């Protein structure tokens, strides 16, 4: 047995399309001895690590999941045996990926850690909608927020609405009713809103609507997790948005949007 301490790579697998992996990610997978595969990562990613032992460590909101403490013990155990462990995370590891907890555990054990960045589902959702998250005509930034907090509390929606940034809300489908209601107390009813399920994957579904109909339209169309909710005027610049063109022609505005726009990946 190799008694030299190995290392761990926290690898961001992106939103699902293997083609969106970075070259650095592909090289790390090729060198892996052990792959800990997240449930939201494309399972085909294991073909890039043909010599590695693959352990599935699924974590899904509202579903049966592998305990975080167990995942951290696995990383530590194999790295201390001198192996190269690649922890594959869906999306971007540093954005709502519990990377902070894993980094602390590994550093405490004296284990070297590499971080490979990837594309977060929030960016993939915007790409699918054909919009900029930071369109300067409508906002001066974007706020990434999770609706699934550790203490099961709610973010400060009033403060977030006051930023006038595009809101990219992760893990919010189970609370979409309360999220929409909270934001409606501080934003106009006609604020553009969207839900993108399985962003960046072959099964991607997109819904474009307005804030006061967000919950009803999303749930009525059968949207669920994993999904990203986008709220803000920049969403109205989506390639699938019908109301801005009517406004620019001086016709009825977005208050008369007749129905939500639902689309699938091409």
């Amino acid at each position: 047995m190799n008694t030299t301490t190995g290392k761990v790579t926290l690898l961001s697998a992106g939103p699902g399309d293997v083609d969106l992996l970075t070259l650095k990610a592909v090289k790390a997978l090729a060198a892996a001895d052990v792959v800990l595969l997240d449930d939201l990562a494309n399972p085909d990613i294991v073909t890039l690590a043909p010599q590695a032992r693959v352990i599935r460590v699924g974590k899904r909101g509202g579903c049966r999941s592998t305990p975080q403490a167990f995942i951290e013990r696995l990383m530590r155990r194999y790295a201390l045996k001198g192996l190269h462990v690649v922890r594959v995370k869906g999306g971007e590891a540093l954005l709502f990926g519990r990377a902070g907890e894993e980094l602390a555990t590994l550093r405490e054990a004296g284990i070297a850690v590499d971080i490979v960045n990837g594309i977060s589902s929030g960016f993939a959702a915007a790409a699918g909608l054909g919009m900029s998250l930071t369109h300067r005509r409508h906002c001066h930034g974007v706020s990434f927020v999770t609706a699934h907090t550790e203490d099961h509390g709610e973010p400060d929606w009033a403060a977030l609405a006051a930023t006038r940034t595009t809101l990219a809300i992760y893990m919010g489908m189970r609370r979409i009713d309360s999220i929409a209601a909270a934001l409606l107390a501080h934003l106009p009813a006609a604020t553009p809103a969207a839900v993108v399920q399985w962003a960046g994957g072959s099964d991607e579904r997109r819904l474009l609507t307005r804030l006061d109909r967000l919950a009803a339209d999303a749930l009525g169309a059968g949207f669920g997790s994993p999904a990203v909710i986008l709220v803000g005027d920049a969403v109205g610049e989506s390639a699938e948005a019908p109301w801005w063109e009517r406004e620019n022609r001086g016709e009825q505005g977005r208050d008369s949007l007749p129905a939500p726009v639902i689309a699938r990946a091409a």
Side-chain angles (χ1 to χ4, degrees):
M1 179 184 298
N2 184 357
T3 58
T4 303
T5 301
K7 71 173 183 178
V8 172
T9 297
L10 301 184
L11 188 147
S12 307
D17 187 346
V18 174
D19 288 345
L20 295 178
L21 287 171
T22 63
L23 291 175
K24 189 173 183 179
V26 172
K27 292 176 181 177
L29 288 163
D33 297 308
V34 178
V35 170
L36 302 182
L37 185 65
D38 184 79
D39 193 42
L40 292 178
N42 189 325
D44 292 341
I45 202 171
V46 301
T47 63
L48 301 173
Q51 81 291 348
R53 177 182 179 183
V54 177
I55 303 173
R56 300 182 187 279
V57 288
K59 294 194 73 63
R60 293 278 300 277
C63 302
R64 185 180 180 87
S65 300
T66 306
Q68 180 64 29
F70 179 72
I71 296 172
E72 292 169 15
R73 287 199 299 271
L74 285 178
M75 289 191 293
R76 175 176 172 145
R77 177 193 307 166
Y78 287 113
L80 290 176
K81 289 182 178 181
L83 301 178
H84 179 191
V85 181
V86 176
R87 166 76 162 110
V88 177
K89 296 170 174 284
E92 163 54 52
L94 304 184
L95 189 63
F96 308 129
R98 299 199 181 186
E101 300 162 52
E102 295 175 1
L103 286 168
T105 295
L106 297 168
R107 287 169 179 165
E108 183 180 353
I111 297 169
V113 184
D114 290 336
I115 298 173
V116 178
N117 295 117
I119 297 174
S120 174
S121 56
F123 293 104
L129 288 165
M131 57 160 285
S132 168
L133 290 169
T134 56
H135 196 303
R136 63 180 184 174
R137 184 184 302 162
H138 304 292
C139 64
H140 59 267
V142 56
S143 297
F144 297 97
V145 59
T146 174
H148 181 68
T149 57
E150 187 175 19
D151 62 359
H152 305 291
E154 289 280 338
D156 188 341
W157 295 115
L160 287 166
T163 66
R164 299 295 175 179
T165 60
T166 302
L167 301 181
I169 304 167
Y170 291 62
M171 295 172 276
M173 290 306 296
R174 295 181 71 192
R175 301 183 178 185
I176 193 167
D177 283 303
S178 63
I179 290 170
L183 290 174
L184 275 169
H186 308 282
L187 293 173
T191 300
V195 177
V196 182
Q197 184 176 17
W198 293 110
S202 59
D203 296 329
E204 177 180 291
R205 299 177 69 210
R206 302 182 294 271
L207 178 142
L208 193 65
T209 183
R210 41 186 274 170
L211 185 56
D212 62 345
R213 298 204 324 232
L214 173 62
D217 287 346
L219 296 176
F223 279 71
S225 298
V228 178
I229 302 167
L230 299 174
V231 178
D233 284 338
V235 180
E237 296 287 352
S238 167
E240 294 166 351
W243 59 78
W244 293 108
E245 181 181 356
R246 292 201 302 271
E247 281 194 328
N248 292 336
R249 291 203 310 263
E251 299 178 9
Q252 293 178 340
R254 62 189 182 188
D255 288 338
S256 62
L257 182 64
V261 178
I262 301 174
R264 290 185 178 271

